[in-house]
Amino acid sequence: MSIPNSPKSSRRLEPDEPSSRLAQPTAESETELAWLRPYVSDKTFIFISANLGLLFVACAQFFFACMNITVKYFLSKTSISVSTLILVRMGITSICCIVALHIIRDPNPVLGPPEVRRWLVYRGLAGLVGLFSAYKSYTGLTVSDSTSIQFLTPTLTSILGFLILGEKCSIREVVAGLASLGGVVLISRPPIIFGGSDNGEGLPPDESMPAVPNPNESTRMMGVFWALSSVCGSTAACGSDIPPASA
């Protein structure tokens, strides 16, 4: 089984090469934004065209942040389950994507292109694991802690892209990945490194009493487990040139 449209670049770890050139707009981005040109200045249009991908990322992160806050609210203030939240979210997403594919006259608006359907199934299952785990992590962690752990996803994606797809990987990315891993350790505070918590009163433990795990610590560690599972699922769902609406 081969990954469709995988890059052919050679696998090598490259040093960072500073460049003084500013990002330049591509012909594709200028074509997509042709409708915007009459409403903005030339300098603004060039900036938006050259940074279209980054602007999409910023917009996506804003809406993801809104989603995370609402998920945490529902799980902490109501009795709604994680499965129900996922069903509602993905139901709305499916309807919107099918409508969009019909509007652009996609020949396979429901099942996707025949040549990549097995990859769509795999990607859907991996994405389900990532999404379910991300939502479940909010039951034991704060939104900020869970999100910080999930920032390992880009690092793990870069590593797998380097090992499996032969993509380039710079020293800067390796250093950033190690920094992210260190941050996850500080957030999760595993007892094997930081030791167990005391009984809250500063008193030595009573050796005559059986050891009982701290419920808060157990809940937190389960939240860390779900957050790391989300990282694995989200990483597995990345890759290929499948159209976003179909994926």
Side-chain angles (χ1 to χ4, degrees):
M1 182 185 300
S2 60
I3 300 177
N5 299 327
S6 59
K8 304 299 182 181
S9 57
S10 59
R11 181 193 303 176
R12 61 179 182 270
L13 190 64
E14 295 188 342
D16 296 320
E17 297 181 0
S19 174
S20 59
R21 295 180 302 172
L22 297 177
Q24 297 297 322
T26 62
E28 182 180 357
S29 63
E30 288 186 337
T31 302
E32 292 179 352
L33 296 174
W35 59 272
L36 184 63
R37 183 179 285 275
Y39 304 100
V40 297
S41 64
D42 290 342
K43 181 180 293 187
T44 302
F45 180 81
I46 293 175
F47 173 81
I48 295 176
S49 300
N51 298 279
L52 185 60
L54 292 176
L55 293 175
F56 276 137
V57 171
C59 182
Q61 290 303 315
F62 170 78
F63 285 106
F64 272 124
C66 295
M67 179 194 70
N68 293 337
I69 293 297
T70 55
V71 168
K72 179 65 175 181
Y73 172 82
F74 280 120
L75 293 178
S76 59
K77 301 296 184 180
T78 70
S79 59
I80 194 170
S81 66
V82 171
S83 301
T84 303
L85 287 174
I86 293 177
L87 177 63
V88 173
R89 175 197 162 168
M90 300 314 298
I92 296 174
T93 302
S94 299
I95 293 174
C96 293
C97 288
I98 292 175
V99 171
L101 290 171
H102 275 291
I103 292 176
I104 64 176
R105 301 184 183 278
D106 189 282
N108 301 284
V110 179
L111 299 179
E115 64 274 11
V116 295
R117 282 176 183 169
R118 58 181 177 178
W119 284 105
L120 290 175
V121 173
Y122 157 76
R123 193 172 189 177
L125 293 175
L128 176 62
V129 172
L131 185 63
F132 181 87
S133 300
Y135 284 10
K136 197 71 175 177
S137 69
Y138 296 137
T139 60
L141 296 173
T142 62
V143 174
S144 58
D145 285 354
S146 178
T147 303
S148 298
I149 294 176
Q150 292 175 49
F151 273 131
L152 279 176
T153 300
T155 300
L156 186 57
T157 302
S158 298
I159 293 174
L160 293 182
F162 174 74
L163 296 176
I164 298 176
L165 303 179
E167 294 183 340
K168 298 177 181 179
C169 186
S170 67
I171 301 298
R172 182 182 302 175
E173 291 172 331
V174 174
V175 173
L178 293 176
S180 297
L181 182 60
V184 169
V185 172
L186 292 177
I187 291 172
S188 59
R189 297 194 296 273
I192 192 173
I193 298 177
F194 293 90
S197 58
D198 56 25
N199 56 9
E201 299 177 355
L203 300 177
D206 188 354
E207 296 182 356
S208 63
M209 298 294 293
V212 179
N214 188 333
N216 293 331
E217 182 176 306
S218 300
T219 302
R220 182 178 182 82
M221 293 310 298
M222 280 303 302
V224 172
F225 166 78
W226 285 116
L228 293 175
S229 298
S230 173
V231 171
C232 296
S234 300
T235 300
C238 294
S240 79
D241 291 335
I242 301 172
S246 297

